[in-house]
Amino acid sequence: MEGLYAKMSIKKDLKREGIEIIGKLDTLTINSLAKNISSILSQTFPELELNTNELFRNISRLDMYYARLPQGVSAKYFYKNKSIYFSNTVDSQNLTAVAMHECIHYLQEKCDEKGNILRLGLCDYTSKGSPDIGINEAAVQLMASKCLNKPYENVKYFDIDLPTNSPSYYTLECTLVNQMAYVVGENVLFDSTLNSNDNFKNQFISLTSQDVFYNIERNIDLLVEAQEKLTSAYANLQEFDTDIYFIKESNKEINKLKNKIKKLFLDTQNLILTSYFDSVINLVYTQKTIENYRNKLYLFKNYIGQIDGDTFFNDYYINKMVELEKKYETDKTEITDLVVVKHNFISTLFRRIKAILGLNPKYAKIKNN
């Protein structure tokens, strides 16, 4: 009877998720997917020392189905019955690309003996409050994009120009988590994402603060929520496109949501930037650390989203360069290093400022959409 009740419960859950099963994938197709994905993961992340055979065994045990899914959803991993559901509109030749994100979700999952989910990568279900799903979704998508060798391209969302290798999924969220990974290290992010540990979180907190990390987590969740509301608002607008009053009110709500999304993104980006570089400048004392700091701050430019007229990053960069100069004018230690630094400081500063206002070197070959 317990098995029957469990099946009925899962059926109801699937219905609530908008999943309507069409048919099951055959064993040969599932094994082929498992082989491709396990091989790609192992080759893409050698530092994680993944066991390809073990990955294959785990992924091949998943049940996989074609199904009717909510609009815009290509695939969905459902942890309660360890299954992946592919939209019936997905090209069978593209299953590996579509399955990658969902298989990473499966591999990062940690459950108790009763099957209750405890941890999903960066998302901790045992902590108080909401589990902060957004940051984990972005991290998983960054892993999937890296596995699939997705190139960076310049895109524009909500008047924000930004570089991304995930133009269709969690684009804004991925950009912010990518900035955090630049600060801490990409390998640390992917280790915590796949192995469900706190290394990434703890290292980011050690470089900034606990409050900063939790504010970023919350803002990313708010970004996801606001974009979902915006999608719903657009859908409602199409449904009631003959009601003039409804159209007027809907457009007001849409514009309000767009402005909220833009502000959330820019505020969070600025928080990541300032919290890290304000903190580590206190550790800069020698010629080598001066140059490392300057380079790291300068290259952060390649990871940010910008809107027309926004000079926050450029102003911050100039202020930090001036702060470095003042810091070492009054610091009488490391005399030899400082003479070299002082000699080159002004010419380097203005050369970098000129470059920073122009084209990003990392994305110089990217074609704008």
Side-chain angles (χ1 to χ4, degrees), residues 172-189:
L172 298 179
E173 295 83 357
C174 283
T175 301
L176 294 173
V177 176
N178 204 27
Q179 292 169 12
M180 297 172 76
Y182 174 70
V183 166
V184 173
E186 197 177 62
N187 291 346
V188 183
L189 172 66

Side-chain angles (χ1 to χ4, degrees), residues 126 132 156 162 247 368:
T126 64
D132 300 314
K156 193 165 189 173
L162 49 84
I247 291 172
N368 285 305

Side-chain angles (χ1 to χ4, degrees), residues 77 101-109 120 136-137 140:
Y77 170 65
H101 184 107
E102 307 309 320
C103 284
I104 293 172
H105 271 318
Y106 166 64
L107 294 169
Q108 66 175 185
E109 177 185 282
L120 202 63
N136 185 63
E137 285 292 349
V140 169

Side-chain angles (χ1 to χ4, degrees), residues 180-227:
M180 297 172 76
Y182 174 70
V183 166
V184 173
E186 197 177 62
N187 291 346
V188 183
L189 172 66
F190 294 149
D191 169 52
S192 288
T193 302
L194 197 63
N195 294 318
S196 293
N197 61 54
D198 285 330
N199 293 343
F200 175 76
K201 172 185 173 180
N202 291 339
Q203 288 199 38
F204 190 86
I205 287 173
S206 72
L207 294 168
T208 57
S209 75
Q210 192 173 72
D211 284 345
V212 166
F213 181 82
Y214 289 132
N215 281 337
I216 292 168
E217 263 194 334
R218 184 176 63 252
N219 284 357
I220 291 175
D221 272 355
L222 290 173
L223 262 178
V224 173
E225 180 184 315
Q227 289 173 92

